[in-house]
Coordinates of all heavy atoms in Angstrom, one line a residue:
A6 N 126.5 -89.4 -70.8 CA 127.5 -89.4 -71.9 C 128.9 -89.3 -71.4 O 129.8 -89.8 -72.0 CB 127.2 -88.3 -73.0
D7 N 129.1 -88.7 -70.3 CA 130.4 -88.5 -69.7 C 130.9 -89.6 -68.8 O 132.1 -89.6 -68.4 CB 130.5 -87.1 -69.0 CG 130.4 -85.9 -69.9 OD1 130.8 -86.1 -71.1 OD2 130.0 -84.9 -69.5
V8 N 130.0 -90.4 -68.3 CA 130.4 -91.5 -67.4 C 130.9 -92.7 -68.1 O 130.5 -93.0 -69.2 CB 129.3 -91.9 -66.4 CG1 128.9 -90.7 -65.5 CG2 128.1 -92.4 -67.1
P9 N 131.8 -93.4 -67.5 CA 132.3 -94.7 -68.2 C 131.2 -95.7 -68.3 O 130.2 -95.7 -67.5 CB 133.3 -95.2 -67.2 CG 133.7 -94.1 -66.3 CD 132.5 -93.2 -66.3
Q10 N 131.2 -96.5 -69.3 CA 130.2 -97.5 -69.6 C 130.2 -98.7 -68.6 O 129.2 -99.4 -68.6 CB 130.2 -98.0 -71.0 CG 129.9 -96.9 -72.0 CD 129.8 -97.4 -73.5 OE1 130.1 -98.6 -73.7 NE2 129.4 -96.6 -74.4
D11 N 131.2 -98.8 -67.9 CA 131.3 -99.9 -66.9 C 130.9 -99.5 -65.5 O 131.5 -100.0 -64.5 CB 132.7 -100.5 -66.9 CG 133.8 -99.5 -66.5 OD1 133.5 -98.3 -66.5 OD2 134.9 -100.0 -66.2
Y12 N 129.9 -98.7 -65.4 CA 129.4 -98.2 -64.1 C 128.8 -99.4 -63.3 O 128.3 -100.3 -63.9 CB 128.4 -97.0 -64.2 CG 127.3 -97.3 -65.1 CD1 126.2 -98.0 -64.7 CD2 127.3 -96.8 -66.4 CE1 125.1 -98.2 -65.6 CE2 126.3 -97.0 -67.3 CZ 125.2 -97.7 -66.9 OH 124.1 -98.0 -67.7
P13 N 128.8 -99.3 -62.0 CA 128.3 -100.4 -61.2 C 126.8 -100.5 -61.3 O 126.1 -99.5 -61.3 CB 128.7 -100.0 -59.7 CG 129.2 -98.6 -59.7 CD 129.4 -98.2 -61.2
R14 N 126.3 -101.7 -61.5 CA 124.9 -102.0 -61.5 C 124.2 -101.7 -60.2 O 124.8 -102.0 -59.1 CB 124.6 -103.5 -62.0 CG 125.2 -103.8 -63.2 CD 124.6 -103.0 -64.4 NE 125.3 -103.2 -65.6 CZ 125.7 -102.3 -66.5 NH1 125.3 -101.0 -66.2 NH2 126.3 -102.5 -67.6
G15 N 123.1 -101.1 -60.2 CA 122.3 -100.8 -59.0 C 122.7 -99.4 -58.4 O 122.0 -99.0 -57.5
G16 N 123.7 -98.8 -58.9 CA 124.2 -97.5 -58.4 C 123.4 -96.4 -59.0 O 122.4 -96.5 -59.8
H17 N 123.8 -95.2 -58.6 CA 123.1 -94.0 -59.1 C 123.1 -93.8 -60.6 O 122.1 -93.6 -61.2 CB 123.9 -92.7 -58.5 CG 123.3 -91.4 -58.9 ND1 122.1 -90.9 -58.5 CD2 123.9 -90.5 -59.8 CE1 121.9 -89.8 -59.1 NE2 122.9 -89.5 -59.9
T18 N 124.3 -94.0 -61.3 CA 124.3 -94.0 -62.7 C 123.5 -95.0 -63.4 O 122.8 -94.7 -64.4 CB 125.8 -94.1 -63.2 OG1 126.6 -93.0 -62.6 CG2 125.9 -93.9 -64.7
D19 N 123.4 -96.2 -62.8 CA 122.6 -97.2 -63.4 C 121.1 -96.8 -63.3 O 120.4 -97.0 -64.3 CB 122.8 -98.6 -62.6 CG 122.0 -99.7 -63.2 OD1 122.1 -99.9 -64.5 OD2 121.4 -100.4 -62.5
R20 N 120.7 -96.3 -62.2 CA 119.3 -95.8 -62.1 C 119.0 -94.7 -63.0 O 117.9 -94.7 -63.7 CB 119.0 -95.4 -60.6 CG 119.0 -96.6 -59.7 CD 118.5 -96.2 -58.3 NE 119.2 -95.1 -57.7 CZ 120.3 -95.3 -57.0 NH1 120.9 -96.4 -56.8 NH2 120.9 -94.2 -56.4
L21 N 119.9 -93.8 -63.3 CA 119.7 -92.7 -64.2 C 119.5 -93.3 -65.6 O 118.7 -92.9 -66.4 CB 120.8 -91.7 -64.2 CG 120.9 -90.7 -63.1 CD1 122.1 -89.8 -63.2 CD2 119.6 -89.8 -63.2
A22 N 120.4 -94.2 -66.0 CA 120.4 -94.8 -67.3 C 119.0 -95.6 -67.5 O 118.4 -95.4 -68.6 CB 121.5 -95.8 -67.5
R23 N 118.6 -96.3 -66.5 CA 117.3 -97.0 -66.7 C 116.1 -96.0 -66.8 O 115.2 -96.3 -67.6 CB 117.1 -97.9 -65.5 CG 118.0 -99.1 -65.5 CD 117.8 -100.0 -64.2 NE 118.8 -101.0 -64.2 CZ 118.7 -102.1 -64.8 NH1 117.7 -102.4 -65.5 NH2 119.7 -103.0 -64.7
V24 N 116.1 -94.9 -66.1 CA 115.1 -93.9 -66.2 C 115.1 -93.3 -67.6 O 114.1 -93.2 -68.3 CB 115.2 -92.8 -65.1 CG1 114.3 -91.6 -65.4 CG2 114.9 -93.4 -63.7
L25 N 116.3 -93.0 -68.1 CA 116.4 -92.4 -69.4 C 115.9 -93.4 -70.5 O 115.1 -92.9 -71.3 CB 117.8 -92.0 -69.7 CG 118.1 -91.4 -71.1 CD1 117.3 -90.1 -71.3 CD2 119.6 -91.2 -71.3
L26 N 116.3 -94.6 -70.4 CA 115.8 -95.6 -71.4 C 114.3 -95.8 -71.3 O 113.6 -95.9 -72.3 CB 116.5 -96.9 -71.2 CG 118.0 -96.9 -71.6 CD1 118.7 -98.2 -71.2 CD2 118.2 -96.6 -73.1
D27 N 113.8 -95.8 -70.1 CA 112.3 -95.9 -69.9 C 111.6 -94.7 -70.6 O 110.6 -94.9 -71.2 CB 111.9 -96.0 -68.4 CG 112.2 -97.3 -67.8 OD1 112.5 -98.3 -68.6 OD2 112.3 -97.4 -66.6
E28 N 112.2 -93.5 -70.4 CA 111.5 -92.3 -71.0 C 111.7 -92.3 -72.5 O 110.7 -91.9 -73.2 CB 112.2 -91.1 -70.4 CG 111.8 -90.8 -68.9 CD 110.3 -90.6 -68.8 OE1 109.6 -89.9 -69.5 OE2 109.7 -91.3 -67.9
L29 N 112.8 -92.7 -73.0 CA 113.0 -92.8 -74.5 C 111.9 -93.7 -75.1 O 111.4 -93.4 -76.2 CB 114.4 -93.2 -74.9 CG 115.5 -92.2 -74.7 CD1 116.8 -92.8 -74.9 CD2 115.3 -91.0 -75.6
V30 N 111.7 -94.8 -74.5 CA 110.7 -95.8 -75.1 C 109.3 -95.2 -75.1 O 108.5 -95.4 -76.0 CB 110.7 -97.1 -74.3 CG1 109.6 -98.0 -74.6 CG2 112.0 -97.8 -74.5
Q31 N 109.0 -94.3 -74.1 CA 107.6 -93.7 -74.0 C 107.4 -92.5 -74.9 O 106.3 -92.1 -75.1 CB 107.4 -93.3 -72.5 CG 107.4 -94.4 -71.5 CD 106.4 -95.5 -71.8 OE1 105.2 -95.2 -72.2 NE2 106.8 -96.7 -71.8
M32 N 108.5 -92.0 -75.4 CA 108.4 -90.8 -76.2 C 107.8 -91.1 -77.6 O 108.0 -92.2 -78.1 CB 109.7 -90.1 -76.4 CG 110.3 -89.6 -75.1 SD 111.9 -88.9 -75.3 CE 111.5 -87.3 -75.9
P33 N 107.0 -90.2 -78.1 CA 106.4 -90.4 -79.5 C 107.5 -90.5 -80.5 O 108.5 -89.7 -80.4 CB 105.4 -89.3 -79.7 CG 106.0 -88.2 -78.8 CD 106.6 -88.9 -77.6
A34 N 107.3 -91.3 -81.5 CA 108.3 -91.4 -82.6 C 108.1 -90.2 -83.6 O 107.0 -89.8 -83.9 CB 108.1 -92.6 -83.4
E35 N 109.2 -89.5 -83.9 CA 109.3 -88.5 -84.8 C 109.2 -89.1 -86.2 O 109.5 -90.2 -86.4 CB 110.5 -87.6 -84.7 CG 110.6 -86.8 -83.4 CD 109.7 -85.7 -83.4 OE1 109.3 -85.2 -84.5 OE2 109.4 -85.2 -82.3
R36 N 108.8 -88.3 -87.2 CA 108.7 -88.8 -88.5 C 110.1 -88.6 -89.2 O 110.2 -88.0 -90.3 CB 107.6 -88.1 -89.3 CG 106.3 -88.2 -88.5 CD 105.2 -87.8 -89.3 NE 104.5 -89.0 -89.6 CZ 103.7 -89.2 -90.6 NH1 103.5 -88.3 -91.5 NH2 103.0 -90.3 -90.7
L37 N 111.1 -89.1 -88.6 CA 112.5 -88.9 -89.1 C 113.1 -90.4 -89.3 O 113.5 -91.0 -88.4 CB 113.4 -88.1 -88.2 CG 114.8 -87.8 -88.7 CD1 114.8 -87.1 -90.0 CD2 115.5 -87.0 -87.7
Y38 N 113.0 -90.8 -90.6 CA 113.5 -92.1 -90.9 C 114.0 -92.1 -92.3 O 113.5 -91.2 -93.1 CB 112.5 -93.2 -90.6 CG 111.3 -93.1 -91.5 CD1 111.1 -93.7 -92.7 CD2 110.2 -92.3 -91.0 CE1 110.0 -93.5 -93.5 CE2 109.0 -92.2 -91.7 CZ 108.9 -92.8 -93.0 OH 107.8 -92.7 -93.7
L39 N 114.8 -93.0 -92.7 CA 115.3 -93.0 -94.1 C 115.1 -94.5 -94.5 O 115.9 -95.4 -94.2 CB 116.7 -92.6 -94.2 CG 117.2 -92.5 -95.7 CD1 116.5 -91.4 -96.4 CD2 118.7 -92.3 -95.7
P40 N 114.1 -94.8 -95.3 CA 113.9 -96.1 -95.7 C 115.0 -96.5 -96.7 O 115.4 -95.7 -97.5 CB 112.5 -96.1 -96.5 CG 111.9 -94.8 -96.1 CD 113.0 -93.9 -95.7
V41 N 115.4 -97.7 -96.6 CA 116.5 -98.3 -97.4 C 116.0 -99.4 -98.2 O 115.2 -100.2 -97.7 CB 117.7 -98.7 -96.5 CG1 118.8 -99.3 -97.4 CG2 118.2 -97.6 -95.6
S42 N 116.3 -99.4 -99.5 CA 115.8 -100.5 -100.4 C 116.9 -101.3 -100.9 O 118.1 -100.9 -101.0 CB 115.1 -99.8 -101.6 OG 114.8 -100.7 -102.6
D43 N 116.6 -102.5 -101.3 CA 117.6 -103.4 -101.9 C 117.6 -103.3 -103.4 O 118.4 -104.0 -104.0 CB 117.3 -104.9 -101.5 CG 117.6 -105.2 -100.0 OD1 118.6 -104.5 -99.5 OD2 117.0 -106.0 -99.4
H44 N 116.7 -102.6 -104.0 CA 116.6 -102.4 -105.4 C 117.9 -101.8 -105.9 O 118.3 -100.7 -105.4 CB 115.4 -101.7 -105.8 CG 115.1 -101.7 -107.3 ND1 115.8 -101.0 -108.2 CD2 114.2 -102.5 -107.9 CE1 115.3 -101.3 -109.4 NE2 114.3 -102.2 -109.3
P45 N 118.6 -102.3 -106.9 CA 119.8 -101.8 -107.4 C 119.8 -100.3 -107.9 O 120.7 -99.5 -107.6 CB 120.3 -102.7 -108.5 CG 119.2 -103.6 -108.7 CD 118.2 -103.5 -107.6
K46 N 118.7 -99.9 -108.5 CA 118.6 -98.5 -108.9 C 118.4 -97.6 -107.8 O 119.0 -96.5 -107.8 CB 117.4 -98.4 -109.9 CG 117.4 -99.2 -111.2 CD 118.4 -98.7 -112.2 CE 118.3 -99.4 -113.4 NZ 119.2 -98.9 -114.5
I47 N 117.7 -98.0 -106.8 CA 117.5 -97.1 -105.6 C 118.8 -97.1 -104.8 O 119.1 -96.0 -104.3 CB 116.3 -97.6 -104.7 CG1 115.0 -97.7 -105.5 CG2 116.2 -96.8 -103.5 CD1 114.5 -96.4 -106.0
R48 N 119.5 -98.2 -104.7 CA 120.8 -98.2 -104.0 C 121.8 -97.3 -104.7 O 122.5 -96.6 -104.0 CB 121.4 -99.7 -104.0 CG 120.7 -100.6 -103.1 CD 121.5 -100.6 -101.8 NE 120.9 -101.6 -100.9 CZ 120.9 -101.5 -99.6 NH1 121.4 -100.4 -99.1 NH2 120.3 -102.4 -98.9
A49 N 121.8 -97.3 -106.1 CA 122.7 -96.4 -106.8 C 122.3 -94.9 -106.5 O 123.2 -94.1 -106.3 CB 122.6 -96.7 -108.3
L50 N 121.1 -94.6 -106.5 CA 120.6 -93.3 -106.2 C 121.0 -92.9 -104.8 O 121.6 -91.8 -104.6 CB 119.1 -93.2 -106.3 CG 118.4 -91.9 -105.9 CD1 118.8 -90.7 -106.8 CD2 116.9 -92.1 -106.0
A51 N 120.8 -93.8 -103.8 CA 121.1 -93.5 -102.4 C 122.6 -93.3 -102.3 O 123.0 -92.4 -101.5 CB 120.6 -94.6 -101.5
A52 N 123.4 -94.2 -102.9 CA 124.9 -94.0 -102.8 C 125.3 -92.7 -103.4 O 126.2 -92.0 -102.8 CB 125.5 -95.2 -103.5
A53 N 124.8 -92.3 -104.5 CA 125.2 -91.0 -105.2 C 124.8 -89.8 -104.3 O 125.6 -88.9 -104.1 CB 124.6 -90.9 -106.5
L54 N 123.6 -89.8 -103.8 CA 123.2 -88.7 -102.9 C 123.8 -88.7 -101.5 O 124.1 -87.7 -100.9 CB 121.6 -88.7 -102.7 CG 120.9 -88.2 -103.9 CD1 119.4 -88.3 -103.7 CD2 121.2 -86.8 -104.2
S55 N 124.2 -89.9 -101.0 CA 124.9 -89.9 -99.8 C 126.4 -89.4 -100.0 O 126.9 -88.7 -99.1 CB 125.0 -91.4 -99.2 OG 123.8 -91.8 -98.9
A56 N 127.0 -89.7 -101.2 CA 128.3 -89.2 -101.4 C 128.3 -87.7 -101.7 O 129.3 -87.0 -101.4 CB 128.9 -89.9 -102.7
N57 N 127.2 -87.2 -102.3 CA 127.1 -85.8 -102.6 C 125.7 -85.3 -102.3 O 124.9 -85.1 -103.1 CB 127.4 -85.5 -104.1 CG 127.3 -84.0 -104.4 OD1 127.3 -83.2 -103.6 ND2 127.3 -83.8 -105.7
P58 N 125.4 -85.0 -101.0 CA 124.0 -84.6 -100.6 C 123.6 -83.3 -101.2 O 122.4 -82.9 -101.2 CB 124.0 -84.6 -99.1 CG 125.4 -84.8 -98.7 CD 126.2 -85.2 -99.8
A59 N 124.6 -82.5 -101.6 CA 124.3 -81.2 -102.2 C 123.7 -81.3 -103.6 O 123.3 -80.3 -104.2 CB 125.5 -80.3 -102.2
D60 N 123.8 -82.4 -104.2 CA 123.3 -82.6 -105.6 C 121.8 -82.3 -105.6 O 121.0 -83.0 -105.0 CB 123.5 -84.1 -106.1 CG 123.2 -84.3 -107.5 OD1 122.4 -83.6 -108.1 OD2 123.8 -85.3 -108.1
R61 N 121.4 -81.3 -106.4 CA 120.0 -80.9 -106.5 C 119.4 -81.3 -107.8 O 118.4 -80.7 -108.3 CB 119.9 -79.3 -106.4 CG 120.4 -78.8 -105.1 CD 119.8 -79.4 -104.0 NE 119.1 -78.5 -103.1 CZ 118.3 -78.8 -102.2 NH1 118.0 -80.1 -101.9 NH2 117.7 -77.9 -101.4
S62 N 119.9 -82.4 -108.4 CA 119.3 -82.9 -109.6 C 117.8 -83.3 -109.5 O 117.4 -83.7 -108.4 CB 120.0 -84.2 -110.1 OG 121.4 -83.9 -110.4
T63 N 117.1 -83.0 -110.5 CA 115.6 -83.3 -110.5 C 115.4 -84.8 -110.7 O 116.3 -85.6 -111.0 CB 114.9 -82.6 -111.6 OG1 115.4 -83.1 -112.8 CG2 115.1 -81.1 -111.5
I64 N 114.2 -85.2 -110.4 CA 113.8 -86.6 -110.6 C 114.0 -87.0 -112.1 O 114.5 -88.1 -112.4 CB 112.4 -86.9 -110.2 CG1 112.0 -88.4 -110.2 CG2 111.3 -86.2 -111.0 CD1 112.6 -89.2 -109.0
S65 N 113.8 -86.1 -113.0 CA 114.0 -86.3 -114.4 C 115.5 -86.6 -114.7 O 115.8 -87.5 -115.5 CB 113.4 -85.1 -115.3 OG 113.7 -85.3 -116.6
E66 N 116.3 -85.8 -114.1 CA 117.8 -85.9 -114.4 C 118.2 -87.3 -113.8 O 119.1 -88.0 -114.4 CB 118.5 -84.8 -113.8 CG 118.2 -83.5 -114.5 CD 118.7 -82.2 -113.7 OE1 118.7 -82.2 -112.4 OE2 119.1 -81.3 -114.4
W67 N 117.7 -87.6 -112.6 CA 118.1 -88.9 -112.0 C 117.6 -90.1 -112.9 O 118.3 -91.1 -113.0 CB 117.5 -89.0 -110.6 CG 118.4 -88.3 -109.6 CD1 118.2 -87.2 -108.9 CD2 119.7 -88.7 -109.2 NE1 119.2 -86.8 -108.2 CE2 120.2 -87.7 -108.3 CE3 120.6 -89.8 -109.5 CZ2 121.5 -87.8 -107.7 CZ3 121.9 -89.8 -109.0 CH2 122.3 -88.9 -108.1
A68 N 116.4 -90.0 -113.4 CA 115.9 -91.0 -114.2 C 116.8 -91.3 -115.4 O 117.1 -92.4 -115.8 CB 114.5 -90.7 -114.7
K69 N 117.3 -90.2 -116.1 CA 118.1 -90.3 -117.2 C 119.5 -91.0 -116.8 O 120.0 -91.9 -117.5 CB 118.5 -89.0 -117.8 CG 117.3 -88.4 -118.6 CD 117.6 -87.0 -119.1 CE 116.3 -86.4 -119.7 NZ 116.5 -85.0 -120.0

Side-chain angles (χ1 to χ4, degrees):
D7 290 336
V8 298
Q10 291 185 357
D11 61 345
Y12 53 83
R14 301 297 172 223
H17 176 73
T18 301
D19 183 50
R20 290 190 305 276
L21 281 176
R23 290 178 187 276
V24 167
L25 178 63
L26 291 173
D27 287 345
E28 288 301 311
L29 284 174
V30 170
Q31 298 300 317
M32 295 178 80
E35 292 288 338
R36 306 192 113 206
L37 182 56
Y38 61 92
L39 186 65
V41 180
S42 170
D43 288 328
H44 193 283
K46 299 285 186 176
I47 303 297
R48 286 263 186 216
L50 174 65
L54 282 175
S55 294
N57 182 15
D60 186 335
R61 298 307 236 170
S62 298
T63 65
I64 188 78
S65 178
E66 292 166 327
W67 279 109
K69 288 176 187 170

